[in-house]
Amino acid sequence: MKKFNKKWAIIPLVFILVTGFFRGDDDFYYQLSKSIDIFGEVYKFVATTYVDEINPEELMTAGIDGMLESLDPYTVFIEQEEKGDIDLITTGKYGGIGATVGIRNDEVTILELIEGYSAQRQGIKIGDVIKKINDAELTKENYNILGKQIKGEPGSILKLGIKREGNEEELSFSLVREEIEIKNIPYYGFLNDKDGTAYLKLSSFSISAGEEVRKAIVDLRKQQKINSIILDLRGNPGGLLDAAIDVCEKFLKKGSLIVTVRGRDTLNTKSYYSAEEPIAGDIKLIVLVNNGSASASEIVAGAIQDHDRGIILGEQSFGKGLVQTILSLPYKTSLKITTAKYYTPSGRCIQKIDYSKNNKVVSDKNFLKKSEYKTDGNRVVYSAGGIKPDTMVTNRSASKIVNELVAQGVFFNFANYLQVGNSQMQESNEKLYSEFVDYIHKEKYNFKTKFETSLEELKKQAKEDGLDSIYTNKIDNLLKESRGLTSVELTKNKTDILNKINEEITLRLFGKNARIKESLKHDKQINTAVNVLNNADVFNSLLVVK
């Protein structure tokens, strides 16, 4: 049993002294002291007198988790074994094997490999299914144990049992954990050699994000003149506040307000300004965002937009206007707690969800509703809904069947099929497409067109209305005829399908960076951004008051 930490013994005394001057039930500190006493007594009695044996640590963790669930999803208790998650947030480094894992086809699957690290060097492949971890069976039901097991001290050994398509027997791997450094910029380069448009994919905001942006721009300038920059923040969930400020400093004039952070006490307010001369302060700039762009990404996009420094293009961002602080607790545990809201230079908070609504624990009387604010150039921007792009462009396929193929992991599975020797991965598009269609029929994937879905709904309605069977028979005949529409839909969307296939093949042959580069060739938002950058009239018109 863990020893009691003596320094915490003073807490009850502190509360007694503080609350000795106040006796009213409505007093905050009286209620705080009272609640601690009640919670402690309940915990002690449950742990010692409950009918079955209790694990006191697990009971306390459950109590803490239950308490924090009444707040927001970003306020969480972090146990000792989850320390690697804090290291990843703060330093961009952790002890692991260099693999991204997720659920595919109801199995725990290797989705990406980081080049040069243990998993890739020792022969793990994308598409491999993890069946055992350190001799324990692994399924989607106990998937949560993976994070605790796969990370660990560099130099330690991780044993994996792998099921690989094309191999009947389970493969065994003993992987050495290493210090994995996640790059904030997995890829940068020129989109073409003619117009000098540089592209930077910023995927996270660990402590080195700003420096990586600076180095990327310096390196690109050595190659050729940079006429414009596309900063891609799509899918970037954020990270450190300091990192967001550091990135902004590469584009905004020295002395520019970047963000203001305000805690519960309005006196606890701090504003952050750009403290350096920007390395790319006068280069035309477009920032790409989507619904996966959150937190630090929105700080950057908001500052660029409010100062009219560049154009925000894409889809509405996530809308996370909250700031978290990580506090150290006894026994190497931590608390990540929301301590403030942030405000863009124009004064808007872009937080979308009000977690205090219908919440008896939290009372946010100052939650901001959607309001108008003005940029430096007097353009109208809005609070309380994320960052709205200056020009909205979607990147999703308009085809239902392509979106279903992506959602069901068909392109991922097809690349696995090619990878195990059933075909050559590098072949003509016509051959690839033909094999893909054969693969779909062989695996009996079932897709419904919008027309088929509508017919099925119509048949259901006809039965509910008690219509004569003659009508349902006619609908059945139409459904039979519509089965052939899947092939028509596949042919109609052949280009999109081939693009998705080639992305997955490129990932397996050449790695994540190459996949990003391949995806840019048919990226609607990228193509739109390039067109806007190359048309001065259009670019300038988006930065003036309409």
Side-chain angles (χ1 to χ4, degrees), residues 5-16:
N5 191 330
K6 293 182 179 179
K7 71 176 182 178
W8 296 99
I10 66 170
I11 289 179
L13 177 60
V14 170
F15 282 120
I16 290 171

Side-chain angles (χ1 to χ4, degrees), residues 344-462:
T344 69
S346 67
R348 55 186 170 140
C349 177
I350 54 86
Q351 174 65 22
K352 184 184 294 183
I353 301 174
D354 180 5
Y355 292 106
S356 68
K357 191 174 183 180
N358 301 321
N359 189 328
K360 294 181 180 179
V361 175
V362 179
S363 175
D364 185 1
K365 297 176 183 178
N366 298 313
F367 183 78
L368 296 174
K369 303 304 179 184
K370 186 173 182 179
S371 303
E372 286 189 4
Y373 292 80
K374 296 291 182 69
T375 69
D376 291 356
N378 218 33
R379 293 186 299 139
V380 175
V381 288
Y382 297 94
S383 63
I387 301 294
K388 182 181 178 182
D390 302 310
T391 178
M392 298 281 286
V393 181
T394 182
N395 212 37
R396 293 184 296 273
S397 173
S399 166
K400 182 173 184 275
I401 197 168
V402 172
N403 290 330
E404 281 196 30
L405 288 166
V406 172
Q408 294 191 31
V410 178
F411 298 116
F412 183 89
N413 295 337
F414 179 60
N416 290 345
Y417 167 80
L418 296 179
Q419 185 173 243
V420 296
N422 294 296
S423 177
Q424 294 295 316
M425 295 188 80
Q426 290 180 292
E427 53 191 14
S428 70
N429 280 343
E430 289 301 322
K431 184 81 182 300
L432 274 177
Y433 179 74
S434 177
E435 286 199 45
F436 180 72
V437 173
D438 290 343
Y439 172 78
I440 283 180
H441 292 313
K442 175 186 172 184
E443 297 297 322
K444 297 180 180 178
Y445 282 105
N446 182 33
F447 303 101
K448 295 177 183 177
T449 63
K450 289 181 180 178
F451 181 60
E452 285 179 85
T453 302
S454 297
L455 284 174
E456 288 178 351
E457 291 175 356
L458 185 63
K459 180 180 178 180
K460 181 181 177 182
Q461 190 62 52

Side-chain angles (χ1 to χ4, degrees), residues 472-491:
T472 55
N473 289 338
K474 286 181 178 180
I475 295 172
D476 283 334
N477 290 332
L478 283 171
L479 277 168
K480 289 178 183 177
E481 292 177 18
S482 70
R483 304 301 182 201
L485 290 176
T486 298
S487 297
V488 174
E489 283 290 303
L490 288 172
T491 303

Side-chain angles (χ1 to χ4, degrees), residues 25 49-50 94 118 183 201 256 280 294 370 387 395 414 418 472 511:
D25 285 350
T49 65
Y50 185 73
Y94 69 96
S118 182
K183 292 181 179 179
K201 173 65 177 175
S256 299
K370 186 173 182 179
I387 301 294
N395 212 37
F414 179 60
L418 296 179
T472 55

Side-chain angles (χ1 to χ4, degrees), residues 242-404:
D242 287 348
I245 293 166
D246 201 4
V247 169
C248 286
E249 288 180 323
K250 307 302 178 279
F251 302 100
L252 296 175
K253 292 179 182 178
K254 185 177 181 179
S256 299
L257 175 62
I258 294 173
V259 66
T260 298
V261 176
R262 195 172 300 153
R264 186 202 304 191
D265 182 353
T266 54
L267 295 176
N268 185 20
T269 299
K270 186 172 182 179
S271 295
Y272 297 86
Y273 296 84
S274 178
E276 64 181 58
E277 293 295 338
I279 191 172
D282 56 355
I283 299 175
K284 283 198 295 185
L285 175 67
I286 285 184
V287 179
L288 302 182
V289 297
N290 64 8
N291 189 250
S293 307
S295 190
S297 291
E298 294 172 301
I299 289 175
V300 173
I304 296 297
Q305 188 176 54
D306 284 3
H307 288 303
D308 301 298
R309 171 61 187 86
I311 291 168
I312 311 302
L313 185 149
E315 300 167 274
Q316 196 98 357
S317 68
F318 182 81
K320 180 177 179 286
L322 307 175
V323 178
Q324 283 73 46
T325 301
I326 296 176
L327 304 175
S328 295
L329 298 177
Y331 305 110
K332 296 183 180 180
T333 60
S334 303
L335 177 66
K336 182 161 73 77
I337 180 173
T338 298
T339 53
K341 294 185 178 76
Y342 71 79
Y343 298 79
T344 69
S346 67
R348 55 186 170 140
C349 177
I350 54 86
Q351 174 65 22
K352 184 184 294 183
I353 301 174
D354 180 5
Y355 292 106
S356 68
K357 191 174 183 180
N358 301 321
N359 189 328
K360 294 181 180 179
V361 175
V362 179
S363 175
D364 185 1
K365 297 176 183 178
N366 298 313
F367 183 78
L368 296 174
K369 303 304 179 184
K370 186 173 182 179
S371 303
E372 286 189 4
Y373 292 80
K374 296 291 182 69
T375 69
D376 291 356
N378 218 33
R379 293 186 299 139
V380 175
V381 288
Y382 297 94
S383 63
I387 301 294
K388 182 181 178 182
D390 302 310
T391 178
M392 298 281 286
V393 181
T394 182
N395 212 37
R396 293 184 296 273
S397 173
S399 166
K400 182 173 184 275
I401 197 168
V402 172
N403 290 330
E404 281 196 30

